[in-house]
Amino acid sequence: MKMERCINGVKLELDLMDIDVLEKFEDEMELVIKKTNSTEMQKYKKGSEGLRAQCDVVECFIDQVFGEGMSQKIFNGKKNIIEHLTAFGEISSMADEMRDGVKEVKDRYSPKRLENRQARRAKNNKHSHRNKEVSYQ
Protein backbone atom coordinates (compact mmCIF):
# COMPACT_ATOMS: atom_id res chain seq x y z
CA MET A 1 0.00 0.00 0.00
CA LYS A 2 2.07 2.87 -1.29
CA MET A 3 1.10 6.31 -0.16
CA GLU A 4 1.73 9.37 -2.27
CA ARG A 5 2.05 13.04 -1.48
CA CYS A 6 2.90 15.96 -3.67
CA ILE A 7 5.03 18.47 -1.78
CA ASN A 8 6.05 21.67 -3.55
CA GLY A 9 5.30 19.98 -6.87
CA VAL A 10 7.45 16.92 -6.11
CA LYS A 11 5.71 13.54 -5.92
CA LEU A 12 6.79 11.42 -2.96
CA GLU A 13 5.93 7.74 -2.59
CA LEU A 14 6.22 5.84 0.65
CA ASP A 15 5.36 2.18 1.22
CA LEU A 16 5.17 1.84 4.99
CA MET A 17 3.71 -1.66 4.62
CA ASP A 18 7.22 -2.74 3.59
CA ILE A 19 8.82 -3.50 6.96
CA ASP A 20 12.30 -2.42 5.81
CA VAL A 21 10.94 0.95 4.70
CA LEU A 22 8.94 1.30 7.91
CA GLU A 23 12.01 0.54 10.02
CA LYS A 24 14.06 3.18 8.17
CA PHE A 25 11.21 5.69 8.56
CA GLU A 26 10.93 5.01 12.30
CA ASP A 27 14.71 5.25 12.80
CA GLU A 28 14.88 8.57 10.97
CA MET A 29 11.85 9.90 12.87
CA GLU A 30 13.61 9.09 16.15
CA LEU A 31 16.68 10.98 14.94
CA VAL A 32 14.56 14.03 14.13
CA ILE A 33 13.11 13.98 17.64
CA LYS A 34 16.53 13.57 19.24
CA LYS A 35 18.10 16.32 17.16
CA THR A 36 15.32 18.84 17.70
CA ASN A 37 15.08 18.16 21.43
CA SER A 38 18.81 18.13 22.03
CA THR A 39 20.67 20.78 23.99
CA GLU A 40 22.60 21.44 20.80
CA MET A 41 19.53 23.20 19.38
CA GLN A 42 19.54 25.55 22.36
CA LYS A 43 23.16 26.61 21.82
CA TYR A 44 22.34 28.93 18.94
CA LYS A 45 22.58 32.59 19.87
CA LYS A 46 20.49 33.82 16.96
CA GLY A 47 17.03 32.60 16.07
CA SER A 48 18.02 32.28 12.44
CA GLU A 49 20.75 29.79 13.36
CA GLY A 50 18.29 27.57 15.21
CA LEU A 51 15.75 27.73 12.40
CA ARG A 52 18.44 26.89 9.84
CA ALA A 53 19.43 23.87 11.95
CA GLN A 54 15.79 22.72 12.06
CA CYS A 55 15.58 23.02 8.27
CA ASP A 56 18.77 20.94 8.00
CA VAL A 57 17.24 18.23 10.22
CA VAL A 58 14.12 18.05 8.01
CA GLU A 59 16.23 17.93 4.85
CA CYS A 60 18.37 15.12 6.27
CA PHE A 61 15.22 13.18 7.18
CA ILE A 62 13.77 13.57 3.68
CA ASP A 63 17.04 12.54 2.00
CA GLN A 64 17.36 9.46 4.21
CA VAL A 65 13.76 8.33 3.74
CA PHE A 66 13.19 9.24 0.06
CA GLY A 67 16.70 9.26 -1.35
CA GLU A 68 19.67 11.59 -1.53
CA GLY A 69 18.91 14.90 -3.20
CA MET A 70 15.15 14.74 -2.69
CA SER A 71 15.18 17.64 -0.23
CA GLN A 72 16.95 19.77 -2.86
CA LYS A 73 14.19 18.96 -5.37
CA ILE A 74 11.49 19.83 -2.83
CA PHE A 75 12.97 23.03 -1.37
CA ASN A 76 15.21 24.24 -4.23
CA GLY A 77 17.92 25.15 -1.72
CA LYS A 78 15.63 27.52 0.19
CA LYS A 79 15.57 27.45 3.99
CA ASN A 80 11.98 28.43 4.67
CA ILE A 81 11.04 27.06 8.08
CA ILE A 82 7.29 27.03 7.34
CA GLU A 83 7.79 25.05 4.11
CA HIS A 84 10.10 22.61 5.88
CA LEU A 85 7.78 22.04 8.84
CA THR A 86 4.75 21.73 6.57
CA ALA A 87 6.55 19.13 4.45
CA PHE A 88 7.60 17.23 7.55
CA GLY A 89 4.01 17.32 8.82
CA GLU A 90 2.67 16.00 5.52
CA ILE A 91 5.16 13.13 5.57
CA SER A 92 4.34 12.36 9.20
CA SER A 93 0.64 12.22 8.33
CA MET A 94 1.44 9.45 5.85
CA ALA A 95 2.49 7.29 8.80
CA ASP A 96 -0.72 8.14 10.66
CA GLU A 97 -2.81 7.13 7.64
CA MET A 98 -0.86 3.89 7.35
CA ARG A 99 -1.53 3.09 11.01
CA ASP A 100 -5.25 3.75 10.51
CA GLY A 101 -5.28 1.47 7.46
CA VAL A 102 -3.51 -1.33 9.31
CA LYS A 103 -5.87 -0.99 12.28
CA GLU A 104 -8.88 -1.21 9.99
CA VAL A 105 -7.58 -4.40 8.37
CA LYS A 106 -6.59 -5.90 11.71
CA ASP A 107 -10.01 -5.14 13.15
CA ARG A 108 -11.70 -6.68 10.12
CA TYR A 109 -9.80 -9.94 10.54
CA SER A 110 -9.27 -10.03 14.28
CA PRO A 111 -9.87 -13.32 16.13
CA LYS A 112 -12.59 -11.64 18.23
CA ARG A 113 -14.51 -10.58 15.13
CA LEU A 114 -14.19 -14.06 13.64
CA GLU A 115 -15.47 -15.55 16.91
CA ASN A 116 -18.45 -13.18 16.83
CA ARG A 117 -19.09 -14.12 13.20
CA GLN A 118 -19.03 -17.82 14.04
CA ALA A 119 -21.41 -17.24 16.96
CA ARG A 120 -23.83 -15.33 14.72
CA ARG A 121 -23.74 -18.09 12.12
CA ALA A 122 -24.34 -20.76 14.75
CA LYS A 123 -27.27 -18.75 16.12
CA ASN A 124 -28.75 -18.27 12.65
CA ASN A 125 -28.35 -21.96 11.81
CA LYS A 126 -30.03 -22.91 15.10
CA HIS A 127 -33.02 -20.68 14.32
CA SER A 128 -33.26 -21.75 10.71
CA HIS A 129 -33.97 -25.36 11.74
CA ARG A 130 -37.02 -24.24 13.76
CA ASN A 131 -38.67 -22.60 10.79
CA LYS A 132 -38.47 -25.62 8.49
CA GLU A 133 -41.62 -27.61 7.94
CA VAL A 134 -41.30 -31.23 8.81
CA SER A 135 -43.35 -33.86 7.09
CA TYR A 136 -44.06 -37.14 8.90
CA GLN A 137 -45.44 -39.30 6.14
Side-chain angles (χ1 to χ4, degrees):
M1 182 168 118
K2 281 189 179 180
M3 305 191 108
E4 294 181 0
R5 284 288 191 288
C6 190
I7 299 177
N8 290 344
V10 178
K11 181 178 159 185
L12 299 177
E13 290 184 355
L14 191 60
D15 184 3
L16 292 173
M17 296 296 135
D18 180 323
I19 303 305
D20 294 329
V21 174
L22 178 60
E23 184 176 37
K24 177 101 172 146
F25 183 88
E26 290 172 335
D27 291 346
E28 293 303 321
M29 190 64 79
E30 283 180 27
L31 276 174
V32 168
I33 292 166
K34 283 180 187 174
K35 288 177 181 178
T36 55
N37 289 336
S38 71
T39 55
E40 190 172 318
M41 278 292 175
Q42 272 89 77
K43 76 176 184 180
Y44 299 109
K45 296 186 190 306
K46 293 165 65 175
S48 60
E49 292 173 342
L51 295 176
R52 181 180 306 280
Q54 288 181 21
C55 287
D56 291 343
V57 168
V58 171
E59 289 174 9
C60 181
F61 171 81
I62 289 171
D63 287 341
Q64 291 300 312
V65 172
F66 296 100
E68 195 64 39
M70 190 57 74
S71 65
Q72 175 62 33
K73 288 180 184 176
I74 293 171
F75 302 116
N76 293 316
K78 289 173 53 180
K79 301 283 187 186
N80 182 311
I81 190 65
I82 298 298
E83 286 183 11
H84 281 65
L85 294 178
T86 301
F88 183 75
E90 282 288 319
I91 295 166
S92 296
S93 72
M94 293 169 87
D96 294 337
E97 289 174 26
M98 182 271 311
R99 270 188 229 103
D100 292 345
V102 169
K103 184 183 180 319
E104 182 180 317
V105 171
K106 282 173 67 176
D107 289 348
R108 187 179 313 145
Y109 299 108
S110 73
K112 185 69 174 168
R113 179 162 182 209
L114 292 176
E115 288 172 14
N116 291 342
R117 182 177 177 200
Q118 289 171 340
R120 281 192 312 271
R121 282 186 174 176
K123 183 179 176 183
N124 288 339
N125 285 339
K126 185 177 176 183
H127 292 296
S128 66
H129 294 298
R130 290 183 187 168
N131 296 334
K132 289 185 179 178
E133 290 187 28
V134 179
S135 172
Y136 296 103
Q137 292 177 342

